[in-house]
Amino acid sequence: MSIYKKEYRYAKLTAFYALNLANFNMGTHHHASCEIMYVTTGSCEITVNDQKFILKEKEFIFLDSFIPHKLVVNQQCTILNIEFLVGTDINDFDLEPLKNASVSYQEISLIKPMFIVSNDSRSLGYAIKDLINLMTNANSDTSEITFLTNILFQRMILELFHSLATEKSAKGMRYINKAIAFIQANLEDELSVPKIAEEVGINKSYLHQLFKDYTSYSIGDFISKKRLERACFLLINSNKSITEIAFQAGFNSRQYFSNTFEKNFSMPPRDYRKLHGQTLESSTINGQLRLDDHNNWSLSKMK
């Protein structure tokens, strides 16, 4: 009953609370419902799959269905909690229009995280409070209350995925920056997508998606681009041979380097060097020019 399954378009509230707790320990458990735990004051400890997280004010955790988790409170802490089922059976809330309209939902559904710990990036806390207040204080089940409940639930889901996407974006930039730094530091070595993904700490499918989103390049094209940039620098600023430059830039043969270079710059590396090169020849004056006390350049013979 994962919220990320496209066919699960309907939702139903199954539990909610707003509690101020001082000492509380809810053992490891799981359920079919998705869950949001949001801290408004104080802090609490959440354990998910043996990973411990401390939630503080305006932080929350979202748990997809059937994710084992544990809650421990050791000091004064106010927690808002919402649990809801999603599925194919017609129920209280139809999520289909929201899923189609929310770019944030579509972004998160690409990676399908089992759980995310995040900050409230906009108004999730207010959305949960308003929904719980309505559910707690409504005296009758009128069509007006039903309509308002639907609006507040949809608002909460929108705010949830906005916060999740914001957290995903920040993490995505960290992953991309780490991957780029690794690539640039290892251009001379054999670089593979699994190797880069392992270094960054994410799976290769997610890495591919991040590169597409943030650089508009595939990983292979990005590596080739960086190797060509290094080759151009060496052609202009060094006296190294074309073969040396090819291997130093990470190409496995001079021929492959020359073919790739000409394909991208419409000229062979040697012609590029002639056109742009600024290499310095050895001085013929056999000395060093220094600025003297009279602000004139004078020749000092090298010993």
Side-chain angles (χ1 to χ4, degrees):
M1 296 184 179
S2 169
I3 196 171
Y4 307 117
K5 285 195 175 182
K6 190 173 182 180
E7 62 269 28
Y8 289 174
R9 63 177 292 174
Y10 297 104
K12 179 182 180 65
L13 279 170
T14 55
F16 64 90
Y17 63 75
L19 294 176
N20 191 300
L21 305 168
N23 289 286
F24 183 75
N25 189 329
M26 181 181 289
T28 301
H29 63 288
H30 62 84
H31 39 67
S33 298
C34 302
E35 183 172 3
I36 308 169
M37 280 188 276
Y38 186 106
V39 174
T40 61
T41 61
S43 65
C44 66
E45 179 184 284
I46 307 289
T47 302
V48 185
N49 295 336
D50 297 324
Q51 297 182 63
K52 289 186 179 181
F53 303 92
I54 302 298
L55 294 188
K56 299 179 182 178
E57 185 175 337
K58 293 187 178 180
E59 293 180 341
F60 70 93
I61 185 168
F62 169 71
L63 298 151
D64 202 20
S65 59
F66 295 111
I67 306 302
H69 56 283
K70 176 182 178 181
L71 169 65
V72 176
V73 179
N74 292 318
Q75 59 178 329
Q76 210 70 31
C77 179
T78 303
I79 301 175
L80 306 179
N81 179 274
I82 291 280
E83 295 178 20
F84 58 92
L85 280 171
V86 291
T88 55
D89 295 336
I90 295 176
N91 243 312
D92 296 342
F93 313 114
D94 184 358
L95 299 177
E96 188 70 11
L98 181 152
K99 290 181 177 182
N100 291 333
S102 173
V103 175
S104 297
Y105 170 81
Q106 294 158 17
E107 289 179 358
I108 294 299
S109 294
L110 290 173
I111 54 176
K112 299 178 176 62
M114 295 185 297
F115 68 93
I116 293 185
V117 175
S118 181
N119 295 300
D120 185 352
S121 64
R122 194 163 60 185
S123 301
L124 177 61
Y126 290 111
I128 297 173
K129 282 180 184 178
D130 289 345
L131 179 58
I132 291 177
N133 281 336
L134 178 66
M135 297 293 293
T136 302
N137 298 314
N139 295 319
S140 58
D141 189 17
T142 64
S143 58
E144 182 177 322
I145 294 298
T146 300
F147 184 74
L148 183 55
T149 304
N150 181 62
I151 291 174
L152 293 180
F153 183 85
Q154 301 276 1
R155 173 195 174 198
M156 180 191 71
I157 298 299
L158 278 172
E159 292 295 342
L160 169 67
F161 279 103
H162 181 274
S163 291
L164 298 183
T166 301
E167 177 68 13
K168 175 241 180 187
S169 179
K171 284 185 176 179
M173 279 303 301
R174 291 197 292 270
Y175 291 141
I176 279 291
N177 289 336
K178 189 174 180 180
I180 290 174
F182 180 75
I183 289 169
Q184 290 178 327
N186 295 276
L187 282 176
E188 296 180 46
D189 302 327
E190 184 179 346
L191 289 167
S192 66
V193 174
K195 185 176 181 179
I196 299 168
E198 182 181 0
E199 176 67 23
V200 173
I202 56 178
N203 66 61
K204 61 182 182 180
S205 298
Y206 186 30
L207 183 63
H208 275 298
Q209 186 63 48
L210 287 177
F211 263 84
K212 181 180 177 182
D213 291 344
Y214 287 96
T215 71
S216 300
Y217 290 96
S218 69
I219 299 173
D221 287 344
F222 183 84
I223 292 171
S224 181
K225 174 178 180 290
K226 289 300 175 183
R227 283 175 168 161
L228 287 171
E229 286 176 2
R230 175 174 289 186
C232 288
F233 177 84
L234 293 172
L235 285 167
I236 294 172
N237 297 284
S238 80
N239 290 316
K240 295 177 182 292
S241 70
I242 302 298
T243 301
E244 287 178 303
I245 289 172
F247 286 108
Q248 193 167 335
F251 294 90
N252 55 19
S253 74
R254 172 173 173 158
Q255 186 61 47
Y256 177 61
F257 166 59
S258 296
N259 290 342
T260 304
F261 194 95
E262 189 162 357
K263 181 180 177 181
N264 282 270
F265 295 98
S266 302
M267 66 178 73
R270 193 176 301 280
D271 291 350
Y272 183 92
R273 167 175 269 173
K274 289 178 181 178
L275 182 62
H276 299 283
Q278 301 174 22
T279 54
L280 293 174
E281 299 296 333
S282 298
S283 174
T284 58
I285 60 176
N286 193 27
Q288 181 183 46
L289 289 169
R290 298 178 64 88
L291 200 62
D292 62 21
D293 295 338
H294 303 290
N295 210 35
N296 295 316
W297 291 104
S298 61
L299 180 64
S300 174
K301 295 291 186 180
M302 301 297 291
K303 297 180 180 179

